[in-house]
Amino acid sequence: MPQDLAGLQAVVLSALEELKAVDVTVLDVSQLTSLTSVMVVASGTSSRHVRALAESARDAAKAAGYPVLGMEGDSGAEWVLLDLVDLVLHVMLPQTRALYRLEDLWSARPGRPKAEQAGDGV
């Protein structure tokens, strides 16, 4: 059964905003992968904050009736991934986020040079 993606996204973004997530980015990856439709990337100010942001989003999604497939990385909490089927949330420490640059990776469009993609604003 398809999820209400807009509703799920609103629940996740609200949970992140409530706990003061930093630099929240929403990426539509539906044309790049069949695994999920949207990726949300956010930063926390400490390992404890990263974990709390992911847990808050998970709990809010569950309370709203959305399925939670799993949460990974919460033990070290440098990078916590929350799989909500059609939405995947990545919460990271700023240095981890700078290292992996997920926004750059998932903004790439197949068959186009990187320089051409840079001005797209995607």
Side-chain angles (χ1 to χ4, degrees), residues 11-120:
V11 165
V12 168
L13 293 177
S14 177
L16 294 174
E17 183 180 331
E18 187 174 313
L19 290 185
K20 310 282 190 248
V22 178
D23 195 18
V24 178
T25 302
V26 178
L27 302 168
D28 179 348
V29 297
S30 60
Q31 301 301 309
L32 300 173
T33 181
S34 61
L35 298 176
T36 193
S37 296
V38 172
M39 286 196 187
V40 176
V41 184
S43 295
T45 57
S46 66
S47 293
R48 176 178 272 170
H49 190 217
V50 166
R51 185 179 306 110
L53 288 165
E55 288 173 351
S56 177
R58 178 198 60 203
D59 294 347
K62 277 185 181 179
Y66 294 102
V68 176
L69 289 185
M71 193 162 90
E72 298 291 330
D74 54 326
S75 61
E78 283 186 34
W79 178 354
V80 179
L81 181 143
L82 177 61
D83 188 344
L84 300 167
V85 186
D86 288 331
L87 186 149
V88 173
L89 171 63
H90 299 272
V91 185
M92 306 176 186
L93 290 174
Q95 60 269 30
T96 304
R97 187 171 177 173
L99 177 66
Y100 289 100
R101 300 174 45 201
L102 291 183
E103 291 92 338
D104 290 343
L105 175 69
W106 286 102
S107 294
R109 293 191 181 137
R112 291 177 55 201
K114 190 71 171 164
E116 190 179 322
Q117 296 169 29
D120 287 348

